[in-house]
Amino acid sequence: MSHRPDEDIRDSDFDCLVFIGRFQPPHLGHLAVIHEALKRARQVIVLIGSAWQARSLRNPWHYEERQHMLRSAFDGEDNDRLEIVPLLDALYNNDVWVRDVQRKVRDIASPDRARLPRIGLIGASRGQSSYYLSLFPQWESVSVPLVESISASHIRERLFRSVASAEDYLSTNASHDLPPGVVGGIQNFLEAEPYQQLVEEQRLLDQYHSAWDQAPYPPIFVTVSAVVVQSGHVLLVRRTAAPGKGLFALPGGFINPHERLLDGCLRELRERIRLKVPEPVLKGSLRAQRLFDEPHRSWRGRTLAEAFYFALRPEQQLPQLKPVKGGDHARWVALADLEPEGLFEDHFFIIQNFLGLPADYAGA
């Protein structure tokens, strides 16, 4: 369908306007979009993306924290018209993500006087609108001017550079970017253990980047990951240091200069995990491989991961994992126990891609 110009849209009300974002953190630019949506629609649906992700420098706050910060910026009457719901990413399958958005909006949007609701997608100019509209042609578009001076990524940089940097920002510039309730929520967050872990990750990241300061081009890293599955379990390692300390991750690592990708993956399983499966059996169990290249997938920067899916024959006993001194703490994890917020970077989505796990997360 064709979209009306914004001037025509202003003359009529929508039944429902949809705003999709990560809100890391919610800032005054986001609020400008939501306030405009409340003016034009009976009902506003805010879909908070990257829900149930593990904390990281890109996604520091959990869904519940972001929902609370957003609601703190509106009065009771506006909150009654706001539906704020979580949205799980589907990094490597746009169709799954679009279906999830469609379903959530369909289930929430209420008809008006027994007719189909008029639904629109609202966003900031040069922001999400142009991309999302290509995925939702059945909805009309509403574009709100972008608040040029506010950037969530710049806010996060100030907050996680150091405790001193965060305190200075909150005392001097935060009121220009953030509503008071969000400032209060962030101040409380500064006293929590997750904040200290993220500050440590930022320090490590700065050191990592400084090693490449003199490179003529930004580096692109190539890694390998192993998705080894047997009898309803997947082989994972528990990270023992930052970044992602305490999270599960797929076995893998950087390739050596003179080895092929599959050889690098098998080496990681042999040397770091000590998986007690002969290499010929592993090679015979290889079912698929794929390159995972979402630009923001890794804390290091541009990092490509070639993942290999090994489906081992079902057995009563899972293969033994011999501990390696100084190596990763590997274990078999039941597929039913996999949770997005418990896995490092995009590893949940890599597993999901190979195994066809349902996109709907129980937390929804």
Side-chain angles (χ1 to χ4, degrees):
M1 64 178 286
S2 60
H3 303 292
R4 296 187 186 183
D6 284 355
E7 292 79 10
D8 295 337
I9 291 176
R10 290 180 182 275
D11 295 333
S12 59
D13 291 334
F14 283 86
D15 296 301
C16 178
L17 280 172
V18 181
F19 183 31
I20 305 172
R22 289 190 306 116
F23 309 102
Q24 293 278 16
H27 55 61
L28 294 177
H30 297 135
L31 263 62
V33 175
I34 297 175
H35 279 301
E36 187 66 19
L38 288 167
K39 291 178 184 178
R40 302 195 193 184
R42 292 188 302 109
Q43 182 182 38
V44 176
I45 300 174
V46 177
L47 298 179
I48 297 184
S50 298
W52 305 295
Q53 291 289 91
R55 293 192 197 272
S56 67
L57 291 171
R58 180 170 165 80
N59 291 300
W61 292 281
H62 287 163
Y63 159 71
E64 293 82 3
E65 295 164 331
R66 287 175 282 165
Q67 180 196 47
H68 178 75
M69 287 190 283
L70 271 172
R71 288 207 179 276
S72 71
F74 297 92
D75 60 25
E77 183 177 344
D78 284 343
N79 269 308
D80 287 341
R81 295 166 55 209
L82 275 177
E83 291 285 347
I84 303 178
V85 293
L87 183 64
L88 179 65
D89 290 344
L91 292 184
Y92 301 103
N93 193 326
N94 266 349
D95 292 332
V96 168
W97 184 82
V98 168
R99 173 177 171 268
D100 193 23
V101 172
Q102 291 173 340
R103 281 190 166 187
K104 289 182 183 295
V105 173
R106 179 200 65 190
D107 294 343
I108 295 173
S110 56
D112 182 31
R113 294 184 293 276
R115 64 173 177 80
L116 291 175
R118 183 183 178 192
I119 299 173
L121 186 69
I122 191 168
S125 305
R126 296 201 341 261
Q128 63 187 30
S129 302
S130 59
Y131 172 66
Y132 286 157
L133 283 177
S134 66
L135 300 178
F136 302 100
Q138 72 273 35
W139 296 339
E140 298 178 63
S141 66
V142 177
S143 184
V144 179
L146 184 69
V147 180
E148 295 282 355
S149 61
I150 303 179
S151 165
S153 61
H154 292 161
I155 294 171
R156 294 194 302 271
E157 288 174 8
R158 293 288 303 273
L159 292 175
F160 297 104
R161 183 67 58 193
S162 66
V163 175
S165 174
E167 292 176 346
D168 177 68
Y169 169 72
L170 291 174
S171 64
T172 57
N173 296 320
S175 60
H176 300 295
D177 302 330
L178 305 170
V182 174
V183 173
I186 291 176
Q187 287 172 330
N188 292 334
F189 185 67
L190 297 188
E191 301 174 3
E193 182 180 352
Y195 174 73
Q196 299 300 328
Q197 293 178 350
L198 291 174
V199 169
E200 171 65 9
E201 291 194 10
Q202 182 65 58
R203 184 184 67 81
L204 293 173
L205 182 60
D206 291 341
Q207 292 177 354
Y208 202 84
H209 286 168
S210 66
W212 297 92
D213 280 347
Q214 304 305 316
Y217 304 102
I220 298 178
F221 304 102
V222 179
T223 62
V224 289
S225 296
V227 181
V228 184
V229 176
Q230 179 176 312
S231 304
H233 290 71
V234 62
L235 179 60
L236 298 175
V237 298
R238 177 82 77 174
R239 295 183 62 84
T240 57
K245 183 178 180 180
L247 298 176
F248 281 119
L250 291 168
F254 292 99
I255 61 170
N256 290 332
H258 304 295
E259 68 182 353
R260 303 185 69 174
L261 294 171
L262 177 58
D263 293 333
C265 184
L266 295 172
R267 172 182 52 77
E268 290 285 337
L269 291 173
R270 180 177 63 252
E271 296 179 359
R272 298 183 63 184
I273 308 301
R274 295 285 181 89
L275 176 64
K276 303 296 285 186
V277 175
E279 188 167 300
V281 175
L282 275 174
K283 288 184 175 180
S285 303
L286 181 61
R287 296 292 178 266
Q289 71 182 84
R290 178 181 169 181
L291 178 68
F292 293 88
D293 60 351
E294 205 283 325
H296 300 290
R297 62 170 301 276
S298 175
W299 74 286
R300 301 179 189 91
R302 194 74 170 102
T303 305
L304 311 179
E306 185 76 10
F308 297 84
Y309 169 40
F310 303 92
L312 301 179
R313 188 177 67 181
E315 298 284 355
Q316 186 66 32
Q317 297 293 328
L318 295 169
Q320 292 183 354
L321 307 169
K322 186 177 180 180
V324 181
K325 185 177 181 180
D328 296 311
H329 297 175
R331 68 179 68 180
W332 292 99
V333 177
L335 296 179
D337 294 334
L338 291 178
E339 297 180 347
E341 69 265 38
L343 273 88
F344 185 55
E345 296 184 339
D346 63 343
H347 293 196
F348 174 84
F349 303 106
I350 292 176
I351 298 170
Q352 180 187 62
N353 183 269
F354 283 124
L355 303 187
L357 299 178
D360 297 331
Y361 175 49

